[in-house]
Amino acid sequence: MAGHSKWKNIQHRKGRQDALRGKLFAKLAREIYVAARQGDKDPANNQKLRLAISKARAQNMPNENIERAIKKAAGGGEGKDYESITYEGYGPGGIAVMVETLTDNRNRTAADLRHIFSKRGGNLGEAGCVSWMFERKGQLVIDRETADKDEEELMLLALENGADDFETTEKAYEVTTSPEAFEDVKQALEAEGIAFSSAEVTLVPANKVHIQGEMLKDVFSLIDALEDHDDVQNVYANFDVDEEELAKYTD
């Protein structure tokens, strides 16, 4: 599992997302709003909206928040028009970073992200400079502490229902799918009573940079600052790190 994926899981277990739940819900609502505004308001006819709702529910976002975002999108022209823009750059240690945003002011967002990168040992690059290192995949992460099935049973269940890969780490099971198979695999696992610590279509790095020691603090400082920006929806990076090293940073 790539380092950033491990970091997101530790954030979840240590309650960082609870501390930032208001901001997290606001970003999820914006993603739902944009998906509904740009397509059918019925999730059954809008895959982008289904995925946004699935992502929100995986973070325990209340149904009323989800419904409010869809209703707002259905209300017509009074809402903001957001533009989806992906920025690419390099972080400390030469790691590749992809930043997905929804913004109503691209000049402001670009200037802010450039400042965040440069202040924390990185630099914002040109379009295409690192995207070739990433592939869009579905990822379903199951916390081993809460899983009520053993590893072999989970693996067979995932693979039989169309998953591409199944990986076991010290703390979690991670199921990888194609974007097209994501919903089918997720529904099949949910039907067996399996819960996820995260479930989303994401960008998975093909090439990874191993980092350790003080470099971890620099990398996480950049990622935290990017994720804290109101216009940023998702941040992906291609670093890898040993779980023991990661535990030292988060303890």
Side-chain angles (χ1 to χ4, degrees):
M1 192 188 302
H4 192 210
S5 183
K6 291 177 185 174
W7 171 235
K8 289 178 78 70
N9 292 336
I10 283 185
Q11 283 179 310
H12 179 82
R13 289 199 302 273
K14 288 186 171 285
R16 182 177 185 273
Q17 290 183 353
D18 289 335
L20 299 176
R21 192 152 297 273
K23 175 167 283 192
L24 174 65
F25 284 175
K27 292 187 177 190
L28 292 168
R30 180 183 296 185
E31 191 169 339
I32 292 168
Y33 168 83
V34 170
R37 190 174 172 91
Q38 294 177 349
D40 198 299
K41 308 305 181 285
D42 183 352
N45 303 319
N46 184 337
Q47 185 187 34
K48 188 175 180 181
L49 179 56
R50 286 200 306 275
L51 291 175
I53 292 172
S54 174
K55 182 178 176 181
R57 286 178 173 158
Q59 297 295 343
N60 298 314
M61 184 171 175
N63 283 333
E64 60 211 51
N65 295 43
I66 295 171
E67 292 168 3
R68 190 183 306 125
I70 296 173
K71 287 178 180 177
K72 184 179 178 182
E78 74 274 11
K80 289 184 178 181
D81 286 324
Y82 290 103
E83 188 176 6
S84 176
I85 306 174
T86 299
Y87 296 89
E88 305 178 35
Y90 297 93
I95 67 166
V97 183
M98 299 279 290
V99 186
E100 293 179 342
T101 70
L102 288 174
T103 177
D104 59 350
N105 186 328
R106 62 160 55 207
N107 292 331
R108 177 198 66 219
T109 302
D112 287 353
L113 295 190
R114 186 173 291 109
H115 176 72
I116 290 172
F117 268 95
S118 63
K119 187 177 179 180
R120 290 167 176 81
N123 62 281
L124 196 62
E126 298 294 326
C129 67
V130 300
S131 58
W132 59 273
M133 301 183 196
F134 295 83
E135 185 177 7
R136 194 162 292 277
K137 290 281 190 179
Q139 278 193 336
L140 302 154
V141 180
I142 304 160
D143 195 323
R144 292 185 65 171
E145 292 181 357
T146 61
D148 60 358
K149 296 184 186 296
D150 63 29
E151 178 181 347
E152 184 176 357
E153 189 177 4
L154 276 172
M155 180 176 65
L156 289 174
L157 187 60
L159 295 177
E160 286 173 355
N161 282 281
D164 292 339
D165 195 17
F166 183 95
E167 184 177 353
T168 301
T169 69
E170 181 181 344
K171 300 293 184 181
Y173 302 114
E174 183 171 307
V175 179
T176 303
T177 76
S178 67
E180 296 76 18
F182 172 77
E183 291 179 89
D184 289 341
V185 175
K186 180 174 180 290
Q187 289 172 9
L189 294 177
E190 285 177 332
E192 294 293 328
I194 297 166
F196 310 105
S197 58
S198 67
E200 61 184 326
V201 176
T202 183
L203 290 177
V204 177
N207 305 295
K208 300 172 186 175
V209 177
H210 189 82
I211 60 170
Q212 59 185 353
E214 289 299 311
M215 186 65 68
L216 282 173
K217 294 182 180 179
D218 297 334
V219 168
F220 293 150
S221 175
L222 172 62
I223 291 174
D224 282 342
L226 290 169
E227 290 185 336
D228 195 48
H229 193 283
D230 287 342
D231 296 341
V232 172
Q233 294 296 116
N234 300 294
V235 181
Y236 308 103
N238 75 333
F239 68 90
D240 196 16
V241 57
D242 295 334
E243 290 188 349
E244 294 78 8
E245 283 284 314
L246 197 56
K248 292 177 188 176
Y249 177 82
T250 55
D251 287 341

